[in-house]
Amino acid sequence: MSGKEYRTITDVKGPLVFLEKTEPVSYGEIVQLRLSDGTMKNGQVLDTSDDQVIVQVFEGTASVDRQTGVKFLGDVFRLPVSKGLIGRILDGAGKPRDGGPEIVAEEMADIIGAAINPYSRESPEQFIQTGISAIDACTSLVRGQKLPIFSASGLPHNDIALQIARQAKLVGSDDDFVVVFCAMGITAEEYNFFVHDLERTGALENAALFVNLADDPAVERLITPRLALTAAEYLAFEHDYHVLVIYTDMTNYCESLRQIGAAREEVPGRRGYPGYMYTDLAMLYERAGMVKGKKGSITQFPILTMPGDDITHPIPDLSGYITEGQIVISRELHQKGIYPPINVLPSLSRLMNAGIGEGKTREDHKSVSDQLYAAYAGGRELRGLVAIVGEDALNERDLQLLKFADIFEDQFLRQSRDEDRSISEGTLDLAWDLLTNIDTKYLVRLDQKWIDKYHPTESKS
Amino acid sequence: MSEENGLIYRISGPVVTAVGISPRMYEVVRVGDEGLMGEVIELHGDQSVIQVYEETSGIRPGEPVIRTGQTLSVKLGPGLLTQIYDGIQRPLEDLEETMGVFITRGVDADGLDLTKKWEFNATASVGDEVSGGSIIGFVQETETVEHRIMVPPGPGGKIASIESGEFDITTTVCTLEDGTEVAMMQEWPVRTPRPFIQKNAPDVPLVTGQRILDFLFPLAKGGTAGIPGPFGAGKTVTQQQLARWSDAQIVVYIGCGERGNEMTEVLTEFPHLMDPNTGKPLMNRTTMIANTSNMPVAAREASVYTGITIAEYFRDMGYDVALMADSTSRWAEAMREISSRLEEMPGEEGYPAYLSSRLAEFYERAGRVQTLGGDDGSVSVIGAVSPPGGDISEPVSQGTLRIVKVFWGLDAGLARQRHFPAINWLSSYSLYPQALDQWYRDNIASDFPEVRTKISSLLQVEAELQEIVQLVGSDALPMDQQLTLEVARMIREFFLQQNAFHDVDTFSQLGLQYEMAKAILTFQEESEKAMAGGAGLEEVVNVPARTDLMRGRFEEGYAERIGKLLGEMSKQIAGTMEDN
Ligand SMILES: Nc1ncnc2c1ncn2[C@@H]1O[C@H](COP(=O)(O)OP(=O)(O)OP(=O)(O)O)[C@@H](O)[C@H]1O
Ligand SMILES: [Mg+2]
């Protein structure tokens, strides 16, 4: 059936093209459009019946007319995958962008990807040290986790993502990560920032990049992360790599999804985003993990910018419902000049409990982390109160907590962009040092046995 | 074209339209060259609309659609326990065997192993009069669960023959005089509730070992509860805690449109976790349904029905079954997605107009019943709800709250402070205490309800005082009110907070919960006395024995020691008076 070219377009609406009188076309099939000037465009079947076929065109429908030739290629979208992807830069549709040759396929992989059988998964529980105290102590990351960065425009999420990519390692192992980087609608400037940094640190040779920039076709963004994840799966599960997938910006991806929904005149869900956005995002995020019998793993760091800094906006909201926690970047901390401005209070790592403790990080980790939270949360809350009633109304405990919140931000959160703190000496010991600013009788989240062992001034050792 | 075979006319995501057949509503059909499983969900002129339980890409119009004559059903019999299924009862282990680690499509798998032999022990005899639901024998399915074999619902008669021994589940083990043959397996259509004689009022609590739930907002066996909450607030942890520790005999856990890793966690952990009631691995009493967020949405829609039908089946044996559905919002979204593909007139927020009736029908399948066999059985249903933005004014939350009798409201603010379980004690409620109070008086302590009332009113008072504190600071309050704040803090930090990941704290016996609550009230009384006698607030609050009493809950054997720790605390508090 490939080969036959139809000129039966009836309607064009937004990124969609409607045709009739085709032979049976399969759902999800890849489509090639040839414009009268010879330009080629690509698309995919979204709806198919005896009477009508709806095609979404990745490059947008500009210049498409009724004379445009439409060819159905008889297959779903596939990416040529091979180890040769490492070190390459591809565009948002999977074509070389670095001037290099086409990828020689070891396999043509369906980019939609099949769901991992929950029975075949392995629980992620290997701690990844990022060298960033806020993350390592309070929202510990494990191999195979999907942990997005919830940020907003103008905040240094890219620096943080890059710092993680540079520093991430398993303690006591020298398996390296391969980075799969996926850009969706980011500016050329942001993209250059990433590439330069990866180049500077030599990481580029160990990375595969899929790039759709702000001026590239918006609909193509729906494909780009699927290409990146298909590459990641191949590298992880066929070649045993530990893959770190960074994709940015999920917000642009969701905008494209909304655009398709609107063009199809679907009943919109919240704020105009399609009702199936949860499922659609899950089809990306759930492609993280570890599976039985395979050595490799996929760890995901999606970055999204919260429109209006609003965490209840559908994009962060639906993401948070799927991912295994989130790292929340705070404008307030950024404005105070603190890097990395991670607000640990709304941040969370759901897989933390499995990845920390004796034999993994350190026996006192959980206890210390709980105590840091409690003290910092208490201190921050008191800031509000002090603004109204003044410090005089505070008792001893409250005064200590109030002071601790400042110290925590200034010394624990704050670190430089190339400071790589080890979990034990760098992060947990620092936490104990700072906790000496609070009387032990107020440190109710700490087990006595850890106080006895680790407290700088009260320990019995 | 025959009645049995038709052709695909249209494909739009999981929804396929066929022409040339006239199936019944909810009939299972085979779609396309690969024979994908689907279910008829709408008849429209000569078109039959089908939701397909597998990925539909690559399928094209003109491929065949074949009727099966069956409605979507589950296989019920020995072999259900310890299993993990997808939304349409395909064992995930079998799928792994045939497909590898990724779920592809076009593979059938029986819900139960039809060849495995089980030891059937007949308990009925030739000549006994039986009817639908009568128990005629049992199989020791797992170490702890006796799987009772029942005559399927429907007419009965006199037993003509019955035989103990090793059989597979499709072999006839019992014949009635009218020729009816009974095997160990039966099938039941998932969308039809299984019959019972009558519903009885729930008056026994489902004890969960979670202090805030058992003590303040209890669920009855056969009752319904909803847990709405924003992401990361603790719905899944709470559901898993119930699956671990509640005193049900059977647990059905449905992971409906949620994370793969969460199911893996249950799978890896439950075989090693011991049921406090039997001392045997929790997996022995558990059946899991996992249709994760990235698995086909139509199968997600079906998963809750598959789960509740299995739950009802065990109920019919006279068991107390607890079913958790995490998350019912994902189920509702699956309905919404299918509905929008059908181009149905949308109701609120795009959900189909029948959303609330579907929710109601589902929760109605909970209940404590007199079974057809004359036993007492129950299904308790606990549904997680994931409201967008955490705002429960949305249709799924509202539809749920109209039906369920217990509301465990999770609170983002509490979760952010790491106050877990992050259940808001002011907005949550349970409508069961009245019905359960007699049970508590008889089984735990005669003043149990009064102690509960005192604890909850202290929390209410605290909330009012906090408003004042926000304006003037706590030092400005009179001493007795400052003490009330300390007592309430103790309720929150010592009693309501409970760490699910702590080996000891994760589970509290109901009796111990009562002792802990009493200890708080004792602290209050003794402190009032001491302060009346001149002791200062800081002094009574800081007696070392109180810290010991509170920290003690993290150690093994607390139930035995709490009395002594409490005595010590009282002594020290009384001592503060003498110092003055
Ligand atoms: N009782 C508890 N004890 C200790 N930690 C808890 C408890 N409940 C929740 N948590 C913490 O909160 C995190 C999030 O909980 P959970 O995964 O249950 O959220 P959720 O409401 O199911 O979120 P989602 O809607 O995204 O699935 C857990 O990973 C854990 O760290
Ligand atoms: Mg959850």
Side-chain angles (χ1 to χ4, degrees):
Chain A
M1 84 156 281
S2 62
K4 187 154 178 187
E5 192 174 90
Y6 297 93
R7 288 174 195 277
T8 51
I9 293 180
T10 55
D11 297 274
V12 180
K13 200 165 10 162
L16 303 182
V17 162
F18 299 71
L19 308 87
E20 25 170 71
K21 300 195 206 73
T22 60
E23 274 164 40
V25 166
S26 62
Y27 179 71
E29 190 167 337
I30 286 304
V31 182
Q32 213 166 56
L33 294 91
R34 197 165 48 80
L35 274 53
S36 30
D37 64 356
T39 320
M40 305 298 282
K41 289 181 187 259
N42 300 294
Q44 187 176 19
V45 175
L46 281 191
D47 197 313
T48 171
S49 70
D50 288 348
D51 303 332
Q52 188 186 50
V53 175
I54 307 177
V55 175
Q56 109 186 351
V57 182
F58 299 136
E59 293 87 351
T61 48
S63 308
V64 171
D65 59 14
R66 294 200 169 80
Q67 270 61 56
T68 297
V70 181
K71 212 154 128 182
F72 296 93
L73 301 186
D75 197 5
V76 294
F77 206 125
R78 288 179 193 275
L79 176 74
V81 285
S82 85
K83 262 170 107 162
L85 282 166
I86 299 175
R88 296 298 304 274
I89 303 178
L90 308 176
D91 69 11
K95 299 271 173 272
R97 188 195 154 97
D98 52 7
E102 293 280 333
I103 303 294
V104 181
E106 284 167 42
E107 202 179 288
M108 294 297 291
D110 178 351
I111 67 159
I112 299 304
I116 298 175
N117 186 331
Y119 182 80
S120 312
R121 280 183 185 267
E122 197 156 312
S123 290
E125 53 184 30
Q126 295 167 301
F127 173 74
I128 297 176
Q129 177 181 301
T130 66
I132 297 175
S133 290
I135 298 176
D136 289 351
C138 301
T139 55
S140 318
L141 168 71
V142 299
R143 214 177 232 182
Q145 185 168 12
K146 39 191 180 292
L147 191 61
I149 299 180
F150 283 13
S151 189
S153 42
L155 298 180
H157 41 267
N158 293 340
D159 300 67
I160 296 172
L162 280 165
Q163 189 169 358
I164 293 170
R166 275 196 310 273
Q167 299 182 171
K169 61 169 162 292
L170 275 199
V171 184
S173 136
D174 30 52
D175 296 359
D176 249 348
F177 284 100
V178 166
V179 173
V180 170
F181 175 79
C182 168
M184 293 168 285
I186 61 173
T187 61
E189 193 185 323
E190 276 179 287
Y191 167 67
N192 290 334
F193 178 75
F194 270 101
V195 171
H196 286 151
D197 194 85
L198 292 172
E199 233 165 14
R200 179 173 68 84
T201 57
L204 199 56
E205 287 159 35
N206 247 335
L209 277 60
F210 293 84
V211 183
N212 167 291
L213 297 184
D215 56 355
D216 289 330
V219 181
E220 189 183 87
R221 274 163 220 161
L222 298 176
I223 297 297
T224 315
R226 296 187 158 80
L227 299 172
L229 290 164
T230 303
E233 273 167 3
Y234 179 77
L235 294 172
F237 301 135
E238 300 298 326
H239 289 289
D240 297 343
Y241 284 102
H242 294 290
V243 185
L244 200 65
V245 183
I246 299 177
Y247 38 139
T248 181
D249 178 336
M250 285 309 291
T251 305
N252 296 330
Y253 173 86
C254 294
E255 295 308 330
S256 296
L257 209 57
R258 177 159 73 170
Q259 199 184 331
I260 294 288
R264 296 189 68 182
E265 293 173 2
E266 289 164 351
V267 182
R270 226 164 49 107
R271 305 218 200 164
Y273 294 92
Y276 50 77
M277 191 156 92
Y278 172 84
T279 303
D280 189 278
L281 288 173
M283 307 272 286
L284 303 178
Y285 295 143
E286 277 288 315
R287 292 170 83 173
M290 310 203 22
V291 297
K292 281 191 240 162
K294 310 259 180 192
K295 282 213 196 103
S297 62
I298 299 179
T299 308
Q300 289 190 18
F301 268 108
I303 298 174
L304 60 86
T305 47
M306 300 183 279
D309 292 13
D310 177 9
I311 198 168
T312 68
H313 184 282
I315 297 171
D317 190 51
L318 294 178
S319 296
Y321 271 124
I322 305 163
T323 55
E324 285 144 350
Q326 65 278 340
I327 295 173
V328 181
I329 313 286
S330 141
R331 194 174 297 284
E332 181 208 326
L333 290 172
H334 180 62
Q335 280 163 352
K336 279 190 180 172
I338 291 166
Y339 174 89
I342 296 172
N343 185 354
V344 298
L345 301 181
S347 299
L348 169 74
S349 163
R350 296 165 197 246
L351 302 182
M352 175 166 176
N353 286 305
I356 64 169
E358 203 181 340
K360 291 171 174 163
T361 54
R362 212 168 78 182
E363 54 192 0
D364 56 325
H365 188 155
K366 174 85 180 110
S367 216
V368 170
S369 149
D370 286 349
Q371 185 61 66
L372 287 175
Y373 268 115
Y376 180 56
R380 271 184 70 120
E381 205 175 292
L382 288 162
R383 283 183 187 159
L385 182 62
V386 167
I388 305 170
V389 300
E391 287 197 12
D392 294 349
L394 298 190
N395 57 30
E396 184 54 29
R397 174 179 174 273
D398 290 354
L399 281 171
Q400 292 185 5
L401 291 182
L402 187 66
K403 189 167 137 231
F404 178 79
D406 292 334
I407 295 174
F408 178 81
E409 290 174 359
D410 193 52
Q411 299 183 40
F412 192 77
L413 294 184
R414 189 199 296 279
Q415 65 186 86
S416 70
R417 282 171 171 74
D418 50 16
E419 187 178 353
D420 188 357
R421 294 186 187 157
S422 72
I423 177 68
S424 179
E425 293 79 35
T427 292
L428 294 176
D429 285 356
L430 173 63
W432 278 102
D433 277 343
L434 302 182
L435 286 170
T436 56
N437 289 288
I438 304 175
D439 269 0
T440 38
K441 69 169 180 272
Y442 303 134
L443 298 177
V444 292
R445 304 274 174 125
L446 287 176
D447 285 5
Q448 190 60 43
K449 56 184 178 212
W450 308 141
I451 295 181
D452 293 345
K453 189 159 171 191
Y454 293 101
H455 196 284
T457 54
E458 313 232 342
S459 79
K460 300 191 170 144
S461 60
Chain B
M1 207 174 297
S2 91
E3 262 277 277
E4 308 300 313
N5 297 311
L7 296 175
I8 296 179
Y9 162 74
R10 174 182 174 192
I11 304 137
S12 172
V15 173
V16 164
T17 310
V19 290
I21 42 170
S22 330
R24 286 177 297 143
M25 272 298 272
Y26 301 124
E27 181 171 337
V28 172
V29 292
R30 296 289 170 177
V31 176
D33 294 332
E34 292 176 71
L36 306 184
M37 189 168 161
E39 183 185 8
V40 175
I41 52 170
E42 191 179 280
L43 299 173
H44 187 70
D46 63 343
Q47 300 185 340
S48 310
V49 184
I50 299 156
Q51 62 176 0
V52 179
Y53 293 122
E54 297 178 83
E55 177 59 44
T56 51
S57 62
I59 299 176
R60 60 185 54 152
E63 290 186 26
V65 176
I66 300 168
R67 290 186 57 177
T68 65
Q70 308 269 306
T71 47
L72 184 67
S73 304
V74 285
K75 293 190 161 62
L76 301 166
L80 286 169
L81 296 173
T82 74
Q83 268 295 352
I84 178 164
Y85 293 113
D86 74 353
I88 48 172
Q89 211 204 5
R90 296 185 302 177
L92 291 178
E93 191 176 351
D94 294 1
L95 296 188
E96 184 190 68
E97 247 161 59
T98 46
M99 304 171 174
V101 299
F102 289 101
I103 299 183
T104 51
R105 63 182 189 196
V107 175
D108 275 338
D110 283 315
L112 293 173
D113 186 338
L114 303 182
T115 56
K116 178 167 178 178
K117 292 218 168 19
W118 297 88
E119 178 76 35
F120 172 70
N121 301 280
T123 51
S125 325
V126 173
D128 286 357
E129 193 70 49
V130 292
S131 57
S134 299
I135 293 169
I136 55 167
F138 69 92
V139 165
Q140 194 67 42
E141 182 176 353
T142 64
E143 234 178 325
T144 45
V145 179
E146 182 183 288
H147 191 118
R148 297 172 187 150
I149 305 299
M150 298 170 285
V151 177
K158 253 202 186 112
I159 296 182
S161 72
I162 184 165
E163 197 182 346
S164 294
E166 290 234 318
F167 302 104
D168 64 40
I169 55 176
T170 55
T171 301
T172 302
V173 292
C174 169
T175 316
L176 306 189
E177 278 182 352
D178 67 356
T180 308
E181 297 184 336
V182 180
M184 284 189 270
M185 182 185 83
Q186 42 178 288
E187 289 188 68
W188 193 262
V190 296
R191 296 185 196 277
T192 311
R194 285 175 63 89
F196 48 83
I197 293 183
Q198 63 174 33
K199 274 202 178 174
N200 293 325
D203 57 12
V204 178
L206 182 79
V207 180
T208 68
Q210 309 305 299
R211 294 186 287 266
I212 185 167
L213 306 186
D214 288 345
F215 209 79
L216 294 184
F217 311 112
L219 174 60
K221 289 199 169 90
T224 50
I227 319 180
F231 66 80
K235 297 178 291 297
T236 304
V237 173
T238 305
Q239 298 257 34
Q240 290 186 352
Q241 286 294 79
L242 296 177
R244 287 183 190 112
W245 308 126
S246 65
D247 64 346
Q249 288 147 313
I250 303 290
V251 167
V252 178
Y253 192 97
I254 310 173
C256 174
E258 292 287 315
R259 302 174 184 82
N261 278 333
E262 289 172 348
M263 302 312 290
T264 313
E265 191 186 322
V266 177
L267 265 181
T268 38
E269 186 194 88
F270 273 35
H272 309 289
L273 268 187
M274 299 303 150
D275 178 346
N277 302 300
T278 63
K280 295 288 186 299
L282 281 172
M283 205 61 197
N284 284 340
R285 66 168 193 185
T286 309
T287 295
M288 289 170 43
I289 318 277
N291 212 94
T292 56
S293 53
N294 56 343
M295 287 161 74
V297 286
R300 189 201 296 173
E301 192 274 336
S303 66
V304 298
Y305 295 102
T306 298
I308 195 125
T309 308
I310 293 172
E312 287 174 339
Y313 171 68
F314 281 106
R315 171 203 70 190
D316 292 345
M317 296 177 203
Y319 287 126
D320 290 315
V321 184
L323 176 140
M324 293 94 205
D326 183 14
S327 162
T328 59
S329 293
R330 307 305 167 213
W331 167 45
E333 284 164 10
M335 282 189 246
R336 174 168 70 184
E337 184 169 343
I338 307 278
S339 160
S340 100
R341 302 267 184 185
L342 298 181
E343 287 158 22
E344 286 174 343
M345 181 72 125
E348 230 184 316
E349 295 193 16
Y351 286 105
Y354 46 77
L355 170 72
S356 59
S357 59
R358 291 279 164 87
L359 285 169
E361 283 159 20
F362 169 65
Y363 282 104
E364 262 310 291
R365 290 176 74 169
R368 178 162 164 217
V369 306
Q370 186 186 352
T371 66
L372 292 184
D375 292 307
D376 188 49
S378 69
V379 174
S380 312
V381 173
I382 303 112
V385 185
S386 316
D391 176 0
I392 61 165
S393 64
E394 55 89 41
V396 184
S397 301
Q398 288 303 311
T400 304
L401 292 184
R402 273 199 295 277
I403 318 156
V404 297
K405 299 249 167 29
V406 178
F407 167 57
W408 293 324
L410 290 168
D411 186 310
L414 291 173
R416 212 166 296 150
Q417 293 162 32
R418 298 302 190 263
H419 172 110
F420 290 120
I423 294 170
N424 186 315
W425 52 89
L426 298 174
S427 62
S428 299
Y429 60 78
S430 163
L431 300 180
Y432 291 115
Q434 285 213 333
L436 303 177
D437 277 351
Q438 198 53 48
W439 188 93
Y440 294 123
R441 289 190 204 281
D442 295 345
N443 292 277
I444 305 295
S446 56
D447 64 342
F448 188 100
E450 288 73 28
V451 172
R452 177 182 54 226
T453 310
K454 282 189 188 147
I455 295 285
S456 43
S457 49
L458 276 163
L459 290 167
Q460 293 289 344
V461 173
E462 182 198 31
E464 288 157 24
L465 291 178
Q466 283 296 356
E467 286 181 21
I468 305 173
V469 171
Q470 288 305 316
L471 297 174
V472 296
S474 59
D475 281 7
L477 293 182
M479 271 308 168
D480 60 329
Q481 294 189 343
Q482 289 193 35
L483 175 65
T484 305
L485 288 180
E486 285 297 337
V487 174
R489 185 212 293 276
M490 186 167 175
I491 298 176
R492 286 187 282 113
E493 294 184 354
F494 165 67
F495 189 77
L496 298 185
Q497 281 188 15
Q498 189 171 1
N499 185 351
F501 301 101
H502 191 285
D503 290 344
V504 176
D505 197 32
T506 183
F507 172 77
S508 271
Q509 297 284 359
L510 197 49
L512 176 60
Q513 296 182 23
Y514 168 78
E515 296 291 331
M516 288 170 75
K518 282 287 271 197
I520 296 168
L521 297 180
T522 306
F523 167 70
Q524 183 187 26
E525 284 156 26
E526 304 284 336
S527 300
E528 276 166 2
K529 261 191 263 163
M531 286 165 67
L537 177 66
E538 290 272 318
E539 279 173 282
V540 295
V541 168
N542 288 328
V543 298
R546 191 172 78 111
T547 314
D548 296 341
L549 173 82
M550 287 169 61
R551 285 214 172 124
R553 76 180 189 281
F554 294 115
E555 274 146 45
E556 229 49 91
Y558 187 51
E560 290 76 59
R561 284 204 326 279
I562 184 169
K564 203 165 141 249
L565 292 167
L566 183 62
E568 187 55 34
M569 182 187 77
S570 301
K571 220 161 59 199
Q572 290 187 7
I573 294 178
T576 59
M577 197 160 39
E578 285 147 29
D579 301 342
N580 287 279

